[in-house]
Amino acid sequence: MLSPQIASHPVAEHSLCVFYELDGIDPAGWTGPRFGNLTRNPGQGIPADQKAALQGRYAEDALWEADETLSAGDDFHAHLQELLSGARPDLVRFHRLTERGHRFLSTACLYEKTTPPADRIAKRLRLSLTSAAKERIAAAGVVPGELGLEVESLSLALFMTAQGLALCRFVVDREDGAPLSAVELLEATVALSRLNEVRWIDKKAKTPIEAPAFSMAALIGQMVFGSRSQAEVSRRLSSHAMVRFDAILPITDRDRYALMLARHYTTDYQLSPDIGRVEWVRDFETVRHAIALEGAATVIGPTEGAPTLTEFLRNFRTSTFDRHYLPIAILALHERAFLVARTAASIMSAAEMLDAQKSLRRLAELREAALVLRLCYRFSEQSHISMHNAVNLAWRKVLRLDEMLAELDDSIRDIADHLERIHRRAQERKFAGVAIMGGAIIAGFSTFSIVKDLYDLFKASQTYGWIGVCVGGIALIGVAAFAHRKSAVFGALDQDCSKNYTVHAMLEKMTRRSKD
Protein backbone atom coordinates (compact mmCIF):
# COMPACT_ATOMS: atom_id res chain seq x y z
CA MET A 1 0.00 0.00 0.00
CA LEU A 2 1.25 3.48 -0.85
CA SER A 3 1.65 5.70 2.18
CA PRO A 4 -0.77 8.68 2.31
CA GLN A 5 2.18 11.03 2.76
CA ILE A 6 3.76 10.21 -0.58
CA ALA A 7 0.53 9.41 -2.47
CA SER A 8 -0.79 12.95 -2.22
CA HIS A 9 2.61 14.62 -2.43
CA PRO A 10 3.28 16.76 -5.52
CA VAL A 11 5.88 15.57 -8.02
CA ALA A 12 8.57 18.18 -8.74
CA GLU A 13 9.68 16.64 -12.05
CA HIS A 14 9.04 13.47 -13.98
CA SER A 15 9.48 11.71 -17.29
CA LEU A 16 7.36 8.73 -18.25
CA CYS A 17 8.90 6.62 -21.02
CA VAL A 18 6.90 3.80 -22.61
CA PHE A 19 8.51 1.21 -24.89
CA TYR A 20 6.52 -0.38 -27.74
CA GLU A 21 8.00 -3.48 -29.38
CA LEU A 22 8.10 -3.44 -33.19
CA ASP A 23 8.59 -6.74 -35.03
CA GLY A 24 9.51 -7.46 -38.61
CA ILE A 25 11.06 -4.16 -39.75
CA ASP A 26 14.14 -4.32 -41.96
CA PRO A 27 16.03 -1.13 -41.09
CA ALA A 28 18.03 -1.13 -44.33
CA GLY A 29 16.46 1.55 -46.48
CA TRP A 30 13.47 2.02 -44.15
CA THR A 31 12.05 5.53 -44.39
CA GLY A 32 8.62 4.93 -42.91
CA PRO A 33 5.15 5.82 -44.13
CA ARG A 34 4.00 9.23 -45.33
CA PHE A 35 1.28 11.35 -43.81
CA GLY A 36 -1.19 10.04 -46.37
CA ASN A 37 -0.85 6.54 -44.91
CA LEU A 38 -2.24 7.63 -41.55
CA THR A 39 -5.79 7.82 -42.85
CA ARG A 40 -5.84 4.19 -43.94
CA ASN A 41 -6.43 0.89 -42.14
CA PRO A 42 -8.37 2.11 -40.20
CA GLY A 43 -7.13 5.58 -39.23
CA GLN A 44 -7.47 5.21 -35.45
CA GLY A 45 -6.48 8.30 -33.52
CA ILE A 46 -6.76 10.59 -36.55
CA PRO A 47 -9.24 13.45 -35.93
CA ALA A 48 -11.72 13.95 -38.75
CA ASP A 49 -10.61 17.54 -39.34
CA GLN A 50 -7.07 16.33 -40.07
CA LYS A 51 -7.82 13.83 -42.81
CA ALA A 52 -8.24 16.32 -45.64
CA ALA A 53 -4.79 17.83 -45.09
CA LEU A 54 -3.16 14.45 -44.51
CA GLN A 55 -4.62 13.10 -47.74
CA GLY A 56 -3.93 16.28 -49.69
CA ARG A 57 -1.47 18.98 -48.67
CA TYR A 58 0.82 16.74 -46.59
CA ALA A 59 0.12 13.35 -48.19
CA GLU A 60 3.68 12.86 -49.48
CA ASP A 61 5.49 14.48 -46.57
CA ALA A 62 7.70 12.22 -44.47
CA LEU A 63 6.79 11.35 -40.90
CA TRP A 64 10.26 10.16 -39.93
CA GLU A 65 13.86 11.22 -40.37
CA ALA A 66 17.18 9.77 -39.32
CA ASP A 67 18.04 10.90 -35.80
CA GLU A 68 21.43 12.60 -36.02
CA THR A 69 21.15 14.36 -32.67
CA LEU A 70 21.86 11.32 -30.50
CA SER A 71 24.55 11.69 -27.90
CA ALA A 72 25.12 8.66 -25.72
CA GLY A 73 26.73 9.26 -22.36
CA ASP A 74 30.48 9.73 -22.25
CA ASP A 75 30.75 7.07 -19.57
CA PHE A 76 29.81 4.26 -21.95
CA HIS A 77 32.60 2.18 -23.42
CA ALA A 78 33.69 3.42 -26.84
CA HIS A 79 32.00 0.69 -28.89
CA LEU A 80 28.71 1.30 -27.07
CA GLN A 81 28.96 5.05 -27.59
CA GLU A 82 29.26 4.38 -31.31
CA LEU A 83 26.32 1.99 -31.30
CA LEU A 84 24.02 4.23 -29.24
CA SER A 85 24.98 7.43 -31.04
CA GLY A 86 23.97 6.07 -34.45
CA ALA A 87 27.52 5.54 -35.74
CA ARG A 88 26.85 1.83 -36.45
CA PRO A 89 24.02 1.79 -39.00
CA ASP A 90 25.04 -1.76 -39.87
CA LEU A 91 23.77 -2.80 -36.43
CA VAL A 92 21.00 -0.35 -35.48
CA ARG A 93 19.37 2.73 -36.98
CA PHE A 94 17.63 5.48 -35.05
CA HIS A 95 14.77 7.62 -36.31
CA ARG A 96 12.72 10.45 -34.88
CA LEU A 97 9.60 12.29 -35.96
CA THR A 98 10.06 15.13 -38.38
CA GLU A 99 9.14 18.59 -37.12
CA ARG A 100 5.75 18.30 -38.80
CA GLY A 101 5.30 14.76 -37.53
CA HIS A 102 5.92 15.91 -33.97
CA ARG A 103 3.53 18.83 -34.46
CA PHE A 104 0.81 16.41 -35.53
CA LEU A 105 1.36 14.10 -32.54
CA SER A 106 1.49 17.04 -30.15
CA THR A 107 -1.36 19.22 -31.45
CA ALA A 108 -3.15 17.47 -34.37
CA CYS A 109 -3.31 20.87 -36.01
CA LEU A 110 -2.50 20.34 -39.72
CA TYR A 111 -4.90 21.90 -42.20
CA GLU A 112 -5.23 22.80 -45.86
CA LYS A 113 -4.13 26.30 -46.79
CA THR A 114 -7.72 27.23 -47.53
CA THR A 115 -8.88 26.46 -43.97
CA PRO A 116 -9.59 29.75 -42.15
CA PRO A 117 -7.52 30.30 -38.98
CA ALA A 118 -10.70 30.50 -36.93
CA ASP A 119 -11.54 26.94 -37.96
CA ARG A 120 -8.17 25.52 -36.97
CA ILE A 121 -8.20 23.78 -33.61
CA ALA A 122 -5.01 23.03 -31.70
CA LYS A 123 -5.49 19.86 -29.71
CA ARG A 124 -3.82 17.81 -27.03
CA LEU A 125 -4.15 14.31 -25.61
CA ARG A 126 -6.18 13.46 -22.53
CA LEU A 127 -5.79 10.21 -20.64
CA SER A 128 -9.10 8.42 -20.16
CA LEU A 129 -9.02 7.34 -16.53
CA THR A 130 -11.45 4.69 -15.38
CA SER A 131 -13.91 5.34 -12.57
CA ALA A 132 -11.91 2.91 -10.40
CA ALA A 133 -8.74 4.94 -11.00
CA LYS A 134 -10.50 8.15 -9.98
CA GLU A 135 -11.76 6.45 -6.83
CA ARG A 136 -8.23 5.40 -5.93
CA ILE A 137 -6.99 8.96 -6.46
CA ALA A 138 -9.75 10.33 -4.24
CA ALA A 139 -8.98 7.71 -1.56
CA ALA A 140 -5.41 9.07 -1.44
CA GLY A 141 -6.75 12.48 -0.47
CA VAL A 142 -6.42 14.06 -3.93
CA VAL A 143 -9.35 15.66 -5.74
CA PRO A 144 -9.50 13.82 -9.09
CA GLY A 145 -9.03 15.94 -12.19
CA GLU A 146 -8.53 15.38 -15.90
CA LEU A 147 -4.97 14.33 -16.80
CA GLY A 148 -3.39 15.71 -19.94
CA LEU A 149 -0.51 14.16 -21.88
CA GLU A 150 2.31 15.99 -23.56
CA VAL A 151 4.28 13.86 -26.00
CA GLU A 152 7.81 15.15 -25.62
CA SER A 153 9.24 12.86 -28.28
CA LEU A 154 8.68 9.67 -30.21
CA SER A 155 11.75 7.87 -31.50
CA LEU A 156 12.61 4.50 -33.00
CA ALA A 157 15.51 2.12 -32.50
CA LEU A 158 15.46 -0.37 -35.39
CA PHE A 159 17.95 -3.20 -35.00
CA MET A 160 19.26 -5.33 -37.85
CA THR A 161 17.78 -8.34 -36.06
CA ALA A 162 14.36 -7.16 -37.34
CA GLN A 163 13.40 -6.37 -33.74
CA GLY A 164 12.75 -2.73 -32.93
CA LEU A 165 11.49 -0.43 -30.22
CA ALA A 166 9.47 2.76 -30.26
CA LEU A 167 10.18 5.01 -27.29
CA CYS A 168 7.50 7.56 -26.43
CA ARG A 169 8.26 10.11 -23.71
CA PHE A 170 5.27 11.56 -21.93
CA VAL A 171 4.83 14.32 -19.41
CA VAL A 172 1.59 14.12 -17.44
CA ASP A 173 -0.20 17.16 -16.01
CA ARG A 174 -3.49 18.19 -14.51
CA GLU A 175 -5.60 20.22 -16.91
CA ASP A 176 -6.74 22.50 -14.07
CA GLY A 177 -3.15 23.57 -13.45
CA ALA A 178 -2.88 22.01 -9.99
CA PRO A 179 0.35 20.17 -9.12
CA LEU A 180 0.47 16.56 -10.23
CA SER A 181 0.45 14.17 -7.28
CA ALA A 182 2.42 10.95 -6.97
CA VAL A 183 -0.70 8.79 -7.04
CA GLU A 184 -1.90 10.45 -10.26
CA LEU A 185 1.44 9.77 -11.94
CA LEU A 186 1.19 6.15 -10.79
CA GLU A 187 -2.28 5.82 -12.31
CA ALA A 188 -1.06 7.37 -15.57
CA THR A 189 1.88 4.96 -15.71
CA VAL A 190 -0.36 1.94 -15.18
CA ALA A 191 -2.93 3.20 -17.70
CA LEU A 192 -0.45 3.89 -20.50
CA SER A 193 1.40 0.62 -19.91
CA ARG A 194 -1.82 -1.38 -20.05
CA LEU A 195 -3.07 0.13 -23.30
CA ASN A 196 -5.75 2.29 -21.72
CA GLU A 197 -7.39 4.74 -24.07
CA VAL A 198 -6.64 8.38 -24.74
CA ARG A 199 -8.57 10.96 -26.72
CA TRP A 200 -8.04 14.32 -28.39
CA ILE A 201 -9.42 17.45 -26.75
CA ASP A 202 -9.54 21.10 -27.75
CA LYS A 203 -6.39 22.50 -26.17
CA LYS A 204 -7.92 25.90 -25.44
CA ALA A 205 -11.49 24.98 -24.54
CA LYS A 206 -10.45 21.67 -22.89
CA THR A 207 -13.45 19.92 -24.39
CA PRO A 208 -13.32 16.55 -26.15
CA ILE A 209 -13.18 16.43 -29.95
CA GLU A 210 -15.90 14.38 -31.59
CA ALA A 211 -13.78 11.33 -32.27
CA PRO A 212 -13.60 7.89 -30.67
CA ALA A 213 -11.01 7.18 -27.98
CA PHE A 214 -8.00 5.09 -29.00
CA SER A 215 -4.84 3.55 -27.61
CA MET A 216 -1.42 5.10 -28.16
CA ALA A 217 -0.21 1.71 -29.39
CA ALA A 218 -2.73 1.84 -32.25
CA LEU A 219 -1.70 5.35 -33.29
CA ILE A 220 2.03 4.62 -33.03
CA GLY A 221 1.48 1.41 -35.00
CA GLN A 222 0.00 3.39 -37.89
CA MET A 223 2.75 5.97 -37.74
CA VAL A 224 5.37 3.21 -37.99
CA PHE A 225 3.71 0.70 -40.34
CA GLY A 226 1.37 2.95 -42.32
CA SER A 227 -1.27 0.88 -44.06
CA ARG A 228 -0.26 -2.29 -42.22
CA SER A 229 -2.28 -3.37 -39.23
CA GLN A 230 -1.65 -1.75 -35.88
CA ALA A 231 -1.42 -5.30 -34.52
CA GLU A 232 2.22 -5.17 -35.65
CA VAL A 233 2.91 -3.25 -32.44
CA SER A 234 3.36 -5.72 -29.62
CA ARG A 235 0.95 -5.58 -26.72
CA ARG A 236 3.91 -6.15 -24.41
CA LEU A 237 4.66 -2.68 -23.09
CA SER A 238 7.47 -1.74 -20.75
CA SER A 239 8.10 1.59 -19.08
CA HIS A 240 10.78 3.53 -17.28
CA ALA A 241 9.64 6.39 -15.08
CA MET A 242 11.87 9.02 -13.54
CA VAL A 243 10.43 10.98 -10.62
CA ARG A 244 11.93 13.72 -8.48
CA PHE A 245 10.59 14.97 -5.18
CA ASP A 246 11.89 18.18 -3.66
CA ALA A 247 10.60 17.48 -0.16
CA ILE A 248 12.07 15.04 2.34
CA LEU A 249 10.07 11.81 2.34
CA PRO A 250 10.84 8.53 4.12
CA ILE A 251 13.17 6.39 2.02
CA THR A 252 10.97 3.34 2.59
CA ASP A 253 8.01 5.24 1.14
CA ARG A 254 10.02 6.29 -1.90
CA ASP A 255 11.15 2.71 -2.42
CA ARG A 256 7.59 1.40 -2.21
CA TYR A 257 6.52 4.03 -4.75
CA ALA A 258 9.37 3.03 -7.09
CA LEU A 259 8.32 -0.62 -6.78
CA MET A 260 4.72 0.15 -7.72
CA LEU A 261 5.80 2.26 -10.69
CA ALA A 262 8.11 -0.49 -11.93
CA ARG A 263 5.63 -3.35 -11.48
CA HIS A 264 2.63 -1.31 -12.71
CA TYR A 265 0.68 -1.85 -9.49
CA THR A 266 -2.07 0.49 -8.37
CA THR A 267 -2.97 1.13 -4.74
CA ASP A 268 -5.54 -1.70 -4.95
CA TYR A 269 -2.68 -4.17 -4.53
CA GLN A 270 -1.70 -5.09 -0.99
CA LEU A 271 1.96 -5.89 -1.57
CA SER A 272 3.95 -8.31 0.52
CA PRO A 273 6.91 -6.75 2.39
CA ASP A 274 9.23 -9.38 0.89
CA ILE A 275 7.90 -9.16 -2.67
CA GLY A 276 10.31 -10.69 -5.15
CA ARG A 277 11.17 -10.40 -8.84
CA VAL A 278 12.42 -6.87 -8.38
CA GLU A 279 16.06 -5.83 -8.57
CA TRP A 280 17.22 -2.78 -6.66
CA VAL A 281 20.13 -0.43 -7.22
CA ARG A 282 20.32 1.60 -4.01
CA ASP A 283 23.89 2.80 -3.75
CA PHE A 284 22.67 6.26 -2.74
CA GLU A 285 19.86 7.33 -0.46
CA THR A 286 18.96 10.19 -2.79
CA VAL A 287 18.73 8.12 -6.03
CA ARG A 288 17.01 4.72 -5.98
CA HIS A 289 16.30 2.40 -8.92
CA ALA A 290 13.73 -0.42 -9.06
CA ILE A 291 13.82 -2.75 -12.08
CA ALA A 292 11.22 -5.43 -12.84
CA LEU A 293 9.97 -7.43 -15.80
CA GLU A 294 7.19 -4.88 -16.39
CA GLY A 295 9.43 -1.83 -16.25
CA ALA A 296 11.67 0.34 -14.12
CA ALA A 297 11.50 3.44 -11.95
CA THR A 298 14.12 5.92 -10.79
CA VAL A 299 13.04 7.99 -7.79
CA ILE A 300 15.08 10.96 -6.56
CA GLY A 301 14.57 12.90 -3.35
CA PRO A 302 16.41 14.67 -0.53
CA THR A 303 17.05 13.10 2.85
CA GLU A 304 17.62 14.32 6.40
CA GLY A 305 21.35 14.11 5.81
CA ALA A 306 21.13 15.86 2.42
CA PRO A 307 18.10 18.18 2.61
CA THR A 308 19.03 20.01 -0.59
CA LEU A 309 19.54 18.16 -3.84
CA THR A 310 22.77 18.83 -5.72
CA GLU A 311 22.73 20.45 -9.14
CA PHE A 312 23.53 17.06 -10.70
CA LEU A 313 20.41 15.53 -9.16
CA ARG A 314 18.25 18.51 -10.10
CA ASN A 315 19.43 18.00 -13.69
CA PHE A 316 19.47 14.21 -13.44
CA ARG A 317 16.95 13.75 -16.22
CA THR A 318 18.90 15.53 -18.95
CA SER A 319 22.39 14.83 -17.66
CA THR A 320 22.19 11.07 -17.19
CA PHE A 321 18.68 9.56 -17.30
CA ASP A 322 18.16 10.30 -21.00
CA ARG A 323 21.78 9.62 -21.98
CA HIS A 324 22.52 6.53 -19.88
CA TYR A 325 19.56 4.78 -18.28
CA LEU A 326 17.19 4.84 -21.25
CA PRO A 327 19.84 3.45 -23.63
CA ILE A 328 20.58 0.68 -21.12
CA ALA A 329 16.88 -0.19 -21.07
CA ILE A 330 16.68 -0.16 -24.88
CA LEU A 331 19.54 -2.64 -25.23
CA ALA A 332 18.07 -4.98 -22.59
CA LEU A 333 14.54 -4.89 -24.04
CA HIS A 334 15.87 -5.50 -27.56
CA GLU A 335 17.81 -8.53 -26.37
CA ARG A 336 14.71 -9.95 -24.70
CA ALA A 337 12.55 -9.37 -27.80
CA PHE A 338 15.23 -11.11 -29.89
CA LEU A 339 15.39 -14.13 -27.59
CA VAL A 340 11.60 -14.47 -27.38
CA ALA A 341 11.31 -14.34 -31.18
CA ARG A 342 14.13 -16.83 -31.78
CA THR A 343 12.81 -19.22 -29.15
CA ALA A 344 9.44 -19.19 -30.92
CA ALA A 345 11.23 -19.81 -34.24
CA SER A 346 12.85 -22.95 -32.82
CA ILE A 347 9.42 -24.63 -32.47
CA MET A 348 8.84 -26.89 -35.48
CA SER A 349 5.76 -28.66 -36.76
CA ALA A 350 5.61 -32.39 -37.40
CA ALA A 351 5.78 -31.80 -41.15
CA GLU A 352 8.85 -29.61 -40.79
CA MET A 353 10.70 -32.15 -38.66
CA LEU A 354 10.16 -34.90 -41.24
CA ASP A 355 12.59 -33.06 -43.50
CA ALA A 356 15.70 -33.46 -41.38
CA GLN A 357 18.01 -31.59 -43.73
CA LYS A 358 15.70 -28.58 -43.95
CA SER A 359 15.23 -28.57 -40.19
CA LEU A 360 18.97 -28.74 -39.60
CA ARG A 361 19.48 -25.75 -41.91
CA ARG A 362 16.87 -23.83 -39.95
CA LEU A 363 18.56 -24.69 -36.67
CA ALA A 364 21.89 -23.61 -38.13
CA GLU A 365 20.36 -20.23 -38.93
CA LEU A 366 19.11 -19.94 -35.35
CA ARG A 367 22.56 -20.83 -34.05
CA GLU A 368 24.09 -18.15 -36.27
CA ALA A 369 21.54 -15.61 -35.03
CA ALA A 370 22.47 -16.44 -31.43
CA LEU A 371 26.13 -15.88 -32.28
CA VAL A 372 25.30 -12.51 -33.84
CA LEU A 373 23.49 -11.53 -30.64
CA ARG A 374 26.51 -12.46 -28.55
CA LEU A 375 28.98 -10.60 -30.72
CA CYS A 376 27.01 -7.46 -31.56
CA TYR A 377 24.22 -6.77 -29.06
CA ARG A 378 24.97 -8.48 -25.76
CA PHE A 379 26.94 -6.43 -23.27
CA SER A 380 27.51 -7.71 -19.75
CA GLU A 381 29.42 -4.52 -18.95
CA GLN A 382 28.60 -1.20 -20.56
CA SER A 383 30.13 1.67 -18.67
CA HIS A 384 33.05 2.93 -16.62
CA ILE A 385 30.54 3.78 -13.86
CA SER A 386 29.52 1.13 -11.33
CA MET A 387 25.95 2.45 -11.08
CA HIS A 388 25.35 2.07 -14.82
CA ASN A 389 26.68 -1.49 -14.80
CA ALA A 390 24.57 -2.30 -11.76
CA VAL A 391 21.40 -1.10 -13.55
CA ASN A 392 22.36 -3.10 -16.64
CA LEU A 393 22.89 -6.21 -14.50
CA ALA A 394 19.51 -5.64 -12.81
CA TRP A 395 17.77 -5.52 -16.18
CA ARG A 396 19.55 -8.71 -17.22
CA LYS A 397 18.42 -10.50 -14.08
CA VAL A 398 14.75 -9.56 -14.15
CA LEU A 399 14.46 -10.25 -17.89
CA ARG A 400 16.39 -13.54 -17.47
CA LEU A 401 18.50 -12.71 -20.50
CA ASP A 402 21.42 -14.98 -19.72
CA GLU A 403 19.14 -17.89 -18.79
CA MET A 404 17.03 -17.43 -21.92
CA LEU A 405 20.12 -17.44 -24.16
CA ALA A 406 21.47 -20.57 -22.45
CA GLU A 407 18.09 -22.30 -22.79
CA LEU A 408 17.88 -21.37 -26.47
CA ASP A 409 21.39 -22.74 -27.06
CA ASP A 410 20.50 -25.97 -25.25
CA SER A 411 17.26 -26.36 -27.21
CA ILE A 412 18.97 -25.79 -30.55
CA ARG A 413 21.73 -28.25 -29.69
CA ASP A 414 19.35 -30.95 -28.42
CA ILE A 415 17.00 -30.67 -31.39
CA ALA A 416 19.92 -30.68 -33.83
CA ASP A 417 21.36 -33.83 -32.19
CA HIS A 418 17.93 -35.46 -32.35
CA LEU A 419 17.48 -34.66 -36.05
CA GLU A 420 21.00 -35.84 -36.86
CA ARG A 421 20.18 -39.19 -35.24
CA ILE A 422 17.08 -39.42 -37.41
CA HIS A 423 19.15 -38.58 -40.48
CA ARG A 424 21.74 -41.24 -39.60
CA ARG A 425 19.01 -43.86 -39.15
CA ALA A 426 17.55 -42.99 -42.51
CA GLN A 427 20.97 -43.36 -44.09
CA GLU A 428 21.44 -46.70 -42.34
CA ARG A 429 18.16 -47.89 -43.77
CA LYS A 430 19.23 -46.92 -47.28
CA PHE A 431 22.46 -48.87 -46.94
CA ALA A 432 20.55 -51.77 -45.39
CA GLY A 433 18.22 -51.80 -48.37
CA VAL A 434 21.21 -52.09 -50.70
CA ALA A 435 22.53 -54.98 -48.58
CA ILE A 436 19.16 -56.77 -48.76
CA MET A 437 19.07 -56.32 -52.52
CA GLY A 438 22.56 -57.74 -52.82
CA GLY A 439 21.68 -60.68 -50.58
CA ALA A 440 18.58 -61.31 -52.62
CA ILE A 441 20.60 -61.42 -55.83
CA ILE A 442 23.05 -63.89 -54.30
CA ALA A 443 20.15 -65.95 -52.94
CA GLY A 444 18.60 -65.92 -56.39
CA PHE A 445 21.71 -67.31 -58.00
CA SER A 446 21.99 -69.93 -55.24
CA THR A 447 18.35 -70.89 -55.68
CA PHE A 448 18.84 -71.20 -59.43
CA SER A 449 21.79 -73.53 -58.88
CA ILE A 450 19.85 -75.64 -56.36
CA VAL A 451 16.83 -75.92 -58.64
CA LYS A 452 19.03 -76.89 -61.59
CA ASP A 453 20.86 -79.55 -59.54
CA LEU A 454 17.57 -80.87 -58.22
CA TYR A 455 16.22 -81.12 -61.74
CA ASP A 456 19.26 -83.08 -62.85
CA LEU A 457 19.03 -85.31 -59.78
CA PHE A 458 15.34 -85.92 -60.36
CA LYS A 459 16.06 -86.99 -63.89
CA ALA A 460 18.78 -89.38 -62.69
CA SER A 461 16.81 -90.93 -59.82
CA GLN A 462 13.22 -90.18 -58.92
CA THR A 463 13.66 -91.36 -55.28
CA TYR A 464 16.60 -89.12 -54.54
CA GLY A 465 14.98 -86.43 -56.69
CA TRP A 466 11.95 -86.19 -54.39
CA ILE A 467 14.19 -85.95 -51.34
CA GLY A 468 16.13 -83.14 -53.05
CA VAL A 469 12.91 -81.32 -53.93
CA CYS A 470 11.85 -81.35 -50.27
CA VAL A 471 15.22 -80.07 -49.07
CA GLY A 472 15.27 -77.37 -51.75
CA GLY A 473 11.75 -76.27 -50.88
CA ILE A 474 12.68 -75.92 -47.23
CA ALA A 475 15.71 -73.84 -48.27
CA LEU A 476 13.59 -71.56 -50.45
CA ILE A 477 11.06 -71.05 -47.65
CA GLY A 478 13.92 -70.12 -45.30
CA VAL A 479 15.33 -67.57 -47.76
CA ALA A 480 11.90 -66.00 -48.26
CA ALA A 481 11.28 -65.84 -44.51
CA PHE A 482 14.66 -64.20 -43.97
CA ALA A 483 13.99 -61.58 -46.65
CA HIS A 484 10.53 -60.86 -45.23
CA ARG A 485 11.93 -60.49 -41.71
CA LYS A 486 14.60 -58.04 -42.83
CA SER A 487 12.08 -56.09 -44.86
CA ALA A 488 9.76 -55.85 -41.83
CA VAL A 489 12.59 -54.71 -39.56
CA PHE A 490 13.73 -51.93 -41.85
CA GLY A 491 10.16 -50.99 -42.68
CA ALA A 492 9.57 -50.52 -38.97
CA LEU A 493 12.78 -48.50 -38.76
CA ASP A 494 11.56 -46.27 -41.57
CA GLN A 495 8.22 -45.77 -39.81
CA ASP A 496 10.08 -45.11 -36.55
CA CYS A 497 12.25 -42.45 -38.20
CA SER A 498 9.35 -40.72 -39.92
CA LYS A 499 6.74 -40.76 -37.17
CA ASN A 500 8.11 -41.42 -33.73
CA TYR A 501 10.90 -38.85 -33.54
CA THR A 502 9.01 -35.59 -33.93
CA VAL A 503 8.24 -33.18 -31.10
CA HIS A 504 4.54 -33.88 -31.54
CA ALA A 505 5.06 -37.65 -31.25
CA MET A 506 7.15 -37.19 -28.13
CA LEU A 507 4.45 -34.98 -26.62
CA GLU A 508 1.82 -37.61 -27.43
CA LYS A 509 3.95 -40.23 -25.69
CA MET A 510 4.23 -38.00 -22.66
CA THR A 511 0.45 -37.51 -22.67
CA ARG A 512 -0.17 -41.26 -22.86
CA ARG A 513 2.27 -41.91 -20.03
CA SER A 514 0.54 -39.30 -17.85
CA LYS A 515 -2.81 -41.05 -18.40
CA ASP A 516 -1.45 -44.53 -17.56
Side-chain angles (χ1 to χ4, degrees):
M1 184 68 178
L2 198 59
S3 74
Q5 184 178 2
I6 197 171
S8 60
H9 205 280
V11 172
E13 182 187 22
H14 74 276
S15 179
L16 175 54
C17 306
V18 180
F19 301 92
Y20 303 82
E21 288 185 17
L22 310 170
D23 298 335
I25 295 180
D26 181 4
W30 185 88
T31 57
R34 306 288 173 173
F35 273 98
N37 299 120
L38 295 183
T39 58
R40 308 170 195 161
N41 191 34
Q44 289 191 50
I46 312 299
D49 65 349
Q50 297 294 284
K51 293 184 178 180
L54 298 184
Q55 292 172 342
R57 181 180 181 184
Y58 302 112
E60 297 303 318
D61 286 6
L63 270 167
W64 301 95
E65 62 185 4
D67 193 346
E68 299 176 352
T69 64
L70 293 171
S71 177
D74 298 334
D75 297 318
F76 282 124
H77 294 307
H79 60 284
L80 267 176
Q81 284 191 45
E82 289 184 352
L83 181 73
L84 296 169
S85 297
R88 292 298 306 271
D90 57 320
L91 297 179
V92 60
R93 300 189 182 188
F94 297 94
H95 298 265
R96 64 177 183 178
L97 287 176
T98 61
E99 184 278 331
R100 186 167 289 126
H102 184 263
R103 183 151 58 96
F104 167 77
L105 190 57
S106 300
T107 65
C109 191
L110 300 179
Y111 293 92
E112 296 282 6
K113 290 182 178 180
T114 55
T115 303
D119 295 337
R120 303 185 182 197
I121 302 174
K123 308 172 190 65
R124 69 173 316 203
L125 292 168
R126 172 186 288 175
L127 184 60
S128 299
L129 290 178
T130 63
S131 57
K134 293 178 180 179
E135 290 174 2
R136 289 190 292 267
I137 292 172
V142 178
V143 178
E146 299 292 353
L147 300 184
L149 293 175
E150 176 189 347
V151 179
E152 282 200 323
S153 65
L154 176 61
S155 57
L156 308 178
L158 304 180
F159 293 83
M160 289 300 172
T161 58
Q163 309 296 141
L165 290 166
L167 169 58
C168 195
R169 307 186 195 202
F170 298 98
V171 172
V172 186
D173 59 49
R174 287 182 59 111
E175 292 179 6
D176 59 8
L180 183 73
S181 65
V183 69
E184 289 172 309
L185 179 58
L186 175 61
E187 289 290 346
T189 302
V190 173
L192 287 170
S193 300
R194 294 183 180 176
L195 299 176
N196 281 33
E197 292 183 328
V198 298
R199 65 185 316 136
W200 291 106
I201 66 167
D202 185 317
K203 187 175 184 178
K204 184 177 181 180
K206 299 179 181 179
T207 55
I209 300 297
E210 290 187 9
F214 58 95
S215 73
M216 286 300 299
L219 179 56
I220 291 173
Q222 290 184 145
M223 297 181 75
V224 173
F225 294 103
S227 59
R228 291 170 62 183
S229 170
Q230 71 272 17
E232 298 291 346
V233 175
S234 171
R235 298 184 69 85
R236 302 184 301 271
L237 302 186
S238 298
S239 65
H240 196 157
M242 190 227 76
V243 185
R244 193 188 87 230
F245 294 104
D246 282 345
I248 297 175
L249 297 168
I251 294 177
T252 54
D253 288 352
R254 282 198 275 121
D255 283 353
R256 177 56 62 95
Y257 184 56
L259 167 64
M260 298 177 78
L261 283 171
R263 291 288 295 266
H264 302 161
Y265 287 151
T266 67
T267 53
D268 280 342
Y269 291 85
Q270 301 300 311
L271 304 182
S272 170
D274 57 350
I275 186 172
R277 292 178 291 278
V278 177
E279 291 294 323
W280 293 93
V281 180
R282 299 186 278 203
D283 293 10
F284 304 100
E285 291 186 344
T286 51
V287 182
R288 321 276 279 188
H289 306 274
I291 297 96
L293 177 64
E294 297 84 355
T298 299
V299 179
I300 302 168
T303 63
E304 296 289 347
T308 303
L309 293 176
T310 64
E311 182 179 357
F312 172 76
L313 292 179
R314 290 197 302 272
N315 298 322
F316 187 86
R317 177 185 172 189
T318 55
S319 62
T320 193
F321 180 73
D322 290 348
R323 301 180 65 211
H324 291 103
Y325 293 109
L326 289 182
I328 291 172
I330 287 173
L331 291 176
L333 293 172
H334 162 254
E335 188 172 341
R336 181 176 185 271
F338 175 95
L339 290 170
V340 169
R342 295 312 183 276
T343 300
S346 67
I347 301 173
M348 299 184 187
S349 66
E352 290 172 323
M353 290 191 71
L354 289 178
D355 189 339
Q357 287 299 313
K358 184 177 180 180
S359 298
L360 288 172
R361 285 194 299 270
R362 179 170 165 184
L363 290 172
E365 292 173 357
L366 286 172
R367 187 179 288 114
E368 291 174 2
L371 290 174
V372 168
L373 176 69
R374 281 193 175 93
L375 292 172
C376 301
Y377 301 108
R378 183 173 177 268
F379 308 101
S380 57
E381 182 175 319
Q382 299 183 348
S383 172
H384 298 286
I385 304 299
S386 298
M387 180 75 78
H388 301 160
N389 290 324
V391 170
N392 173 52
L393 180 60
W395 273 110
R396 301 193 67 80
K397 285 184 178 179
V398 297
L399 299 182
R400 297 186 63 252
L401 298 180
D402 296 323
E403 292 91 335
M404 287 181 67
L405 181 58
E407 290 166 3
L408 178 61
D409 285 342
D410 291 343
S411 297
I412 293 173
R413 182 175 59 252
D414 292 345
I415 296 173
D417 291 345
H418 175 70
L419 291 175
E420 286 173 356
R421 285 196 298 271
I422 295 176
H423 182 61
R424 284 197 301 270
R425 289 196 176 205
Q427 294 299 317
E428 289 171 2
R429 182 189 176 281
K430 290 179 181 179
F431 289 126
V434 173
I436 290 175
M437 185 177 294
I441 292 173
I442 294 173
F445 281 116
S446 300
T447 302
F448 175 77
S449 299
I450 292 172
V451 172
K452 184 177 181 300
D453 292 342
L454 288 174
Y455 178 74
D456 293 340
L457 181 63
F458 184 79
K459 288 176 62 178
S461 173
Q462 291 188 359
T463 300
Y464 290 109
W466 282 113
I467 295 173
V469 168
C470 292
V471 172
I474 292 172
L476 287 174
I477 292 171
V479 170
F482 173 79
H484 175 75
R485 171 63 179 167
K486 288 295 183 182
S487 176
V489 168
F490 287 106
L493 177 61
D494 180 49
Q495 185 180 23
D496 192 45
C497 290
S498 63
K499 294 183 178 179
N500 295 333
Y501 285 86
T502 66
V503 171
H504 296 272
M506 289 188 284
L507 288 174
E508 288 176 1
K509 289 180 182 178
M510 292 173 60
T511 303
R512 288 198 298 271
R513 290 191 189 114
S514 66
K515 291 180 179 179
D516 295 340

